[in-house]
Amino acid sequence: MARLSDIIEDFIKTLLKQSEGELELQRNELAEYFECAPSQINYVLATRFSLDRGYYIESRRGGGGFIRIVQLDLDKDDYLLYLINERIGNSISENETKDIVTNIMERGIITEREAAIINTALEDKVIAIPANLRSIIRANILKAMLVAILRSRV
Amino acid sequence: MARLSDIIEDFIKTLLKQSEGELELQRNELAEYFECAPSQINYVLATRFSLDRGYYIESRRGGGGFIRIVQLDLDKDDYLLYLINERIGNSISENETKDIVTNIMERGIITEREAAIINTALEDKVIAIPANLRSIIRANILKAMLVAILRSRV
DNA sequence: ATATTATGAAGGTCAAAGATGGTCAAAATA
DNA sequence: TATTTTGACCATCTTTGACCTTCATAATAT
């Protein structure tokens, strides 16, 4: 018997195809449909619709809440994807960051102003926390910003 | 399952557009129209028409009472300076941040993509450090980015 | 005529209830 | 052992209702 998680994964992917890469769903509704625990939906999203696999998840709680799944526009040799999934890793310095940001600006991927915004945000003096933690948080933020750029390109 | 609050928000925004940014309404009348508790109108005003989102509310009780909603229109540079020097302070939440950033986008101070970059960078899940410290770092980063925007607007 | 006191007509506040989704670790299964 | 499934408990946003405050005006007292 096929795993439920795989079935849910396929189900969501079918819906995504029908809706051109962007989809909103209700966690409880889906869980009820598949007669599983609501948290299993989170499990499927975490394991099958991760950033590594090219998906982006947003959600909102409370009345009228939802989960939105966005399929990123993936091009296998996309430089941004390489940066997000390989180059940056979980820790990066201010200087490395500036090199990368300057580079994608020169490639015409971001504007000069966007580069300025990103660079300023990631300066050591701005992220005023202990150095070891800082490099980790900087990597997080940089990757998140690059994902935002990926998304807004579609 | 659209939220009633969102529907009321849209309704008010439509009225605001028709009346050039200033509008007077009766709380009970509106509540009756949408068949909801009058206090829900207050909820919508508090969450969707806050100062951070660029609106100002005045009201009067008693016979002939009213609620006046004014869409603020300030000088761009002045507003950025106000945000940097007064509003943000040394600590700010994710939601407040999003309200402010969305607001300056709607005012045309930043592009939609810049707003997406800034908002994503400042999400709780991205700045993965203890909550109290996180709000402080978020304020730092946001102010730094706004300064970058001010500087690049020459 | 003037001052004072109801009365009714607004709007305001706050906390509880309802509606979602999130997390984490234990249990089950492959 | 690694992955999947489940469930208890948590966080967040929305909706509702009971109770409070303010204002204009009509009624009443001086």
Side-chain angles (χ1 to χ4, degrees):
Chain A
M1 182 169 110
R3 289 188 228 73
L4 217 209
S5 288
D6 291 339
I7 297 172
I8 297 174
E9 176 186 1
D10 290 346
F11 182 81
I12 292 176
K13 284 185 172 166
T14 303
L15 291 183
L16 267 172
K17 266 176 204 146
Q18 287 167 9
S19 56
E20 289 171 15
E22 186 156 344
L23 170 63
E24 246 175 53
L25 51 84
Q26 311 275 136
R27 187 180 77 149
N28 290 337
E29 200 178 86
L30 198 59
E32 217 167 303
Y33 181 75
F34 285 106
E35 294 176 312
C36 66
S39 54
Q40 178 145 17
I41 305 303
N42 298 82
Y43 177 72
V44 172
L45 294 176
T47 57
R48 283 36 177 201
F49 295 89
S50 61
L51 196 52
D52 280 355
R53 300 192 179 204
Y55 297 90
Y56 179 76
I57 310 286
E58 285 179 295
S59 67
R60 197 161 141 184
R61 305 183 189 189
F66 62 83
I67 295 178
R68 179 181 299 135
I69 305 171
V70 183
Q71 186 167 17
L72 297 175
D73 189 21
L74 293 186
D75 178 354
K76 284 193 191 83
D77 39 53
D78 193 310
Y79 186 59
L80 284 180
L81 271 185
Y82 154 73
L83 291 176
I84 294 166
N85 292 325
E86 297 177 47
R87 169 65 187 88
I88 298 174
N90 26 305
S91 167
I92 194 168
S93 74
E94 175 177 331
N95 279 341
E96 288 175 294
T97 300
K98 286 199 164 143
D99 286 346
I100 290 174
V101 173
T102 302
N103 186 236
I104 60 178
M105 181 189 81
E106 283 168 355
R107 285 167 183 249
I109 296 174
I110 59 174
T111 66
E112 203 175 328
R113 189 161 95 156
E114 284 162 354
I117 292 171
I118 297 171
N119 274 328
T120 320
L122 299 174
E123 278 171 10
D124 279 351
K125 66 176 183 223
V126 173
I127 307 178
I129 57 178
N132 54 338
L133 188 53
R134 177 165 58 216
S135 301
I136 295 172
I137 295 303
R138 175 163 35 227
N140 265 0
I141 298 178
L142 178 55
K143 283 186 283 188
M145 287 172 147
L146 297 185
V147 170
I149 291 162
L150 257 184
R151 289 195 55 197
S152 65
R153 223 174 32 176
V154 181
Chain B
M1 258 161 278
R3 292 178 217 86
L4 216 211
S5 288
D6 289 342
I7 296 172
I8 297 175
E9 175 186 359
D10 290 346
F11 182 81
I12 293 176
K13 283 185 171 166
T14 303
L15 292 183
L16 267 173
K17 264 177 205 145
Q18 286 166 10
S19 55
E20 288 168 19
E22 186 157 344
L23 171 64
E24 246 175 54
L25 51 84
Q26 310 278 131
R27 187 180 78 150
N28 289 336
E29 199 178 89
L30 198 58
E32 216 166 303
Y33 180 75
F34 285 106
E35 294 175 313
C36 66
S39 54
Q40 178 146 18
I41 305 303
N42 297 81
Y43 177 73
V44 173
L45 295 176
T47 56
R48 319 308 214 244
F49 294 89
S50 62
L51 257 186
D52 282 345
R53 291 194 180 204
Y55 299 90
Y56 177 71
I57 309 287
E58 285 178 295
S59 68
R60 203 158 102 190
R61 306 183 188 190
F66 62 85
I67 294 177
R68 179 180 300 135
I69 306 171
V70 183
Q71 189 165 15
L72 297 174
D73 184 25
L74 303 170
D75 174 79
K76 292 175 181 180
D77 282 0
D78 284 353
Y79 188 60
L80 283 178
L81 286 172
Y82 156 74
L83 290 175
I84 294 165
N85 295 323
E86 297 176 49
R87 170 63 186 88
I88 297 173
N90 43 313
S91 167
I92 194 167
S93 75
E94 174 178 332
N95 278 345
E96 289 174 302
T97 299
K98 285 197 164 148
D99 284 349
I100 289 172
V101 173
T102 302
N103 184 214
I104 63 177
M105 179 194 80
E106 282 170 358
R107 286 164 185 262
I109 298 175
I110 59 176
T111 67
E112 204 173 330
R113 189 161 96 159
E114 286 162 353
I117 292 171
I118 297 171
N119 274 328
T120 325
L122 300 175
E123 276 172 10
D124 282 350
K125 67 178 180 215
V126 173
I127 307 177
I129 56 178
N132 53 340
L133 187 54
R134 177 164 59 216
S135 300
I136 294 172
I137 296 303
R138 176 165 33 229
N140 266 0
I141 301 178
L142 178 54
K143 281 185 287 188
M145 290 194 280
L146 295 184
V147 170
I149 290 162
L150 254 184
R151 286 171 42 104
S152 67
R153 265 161 41 70
V154 183

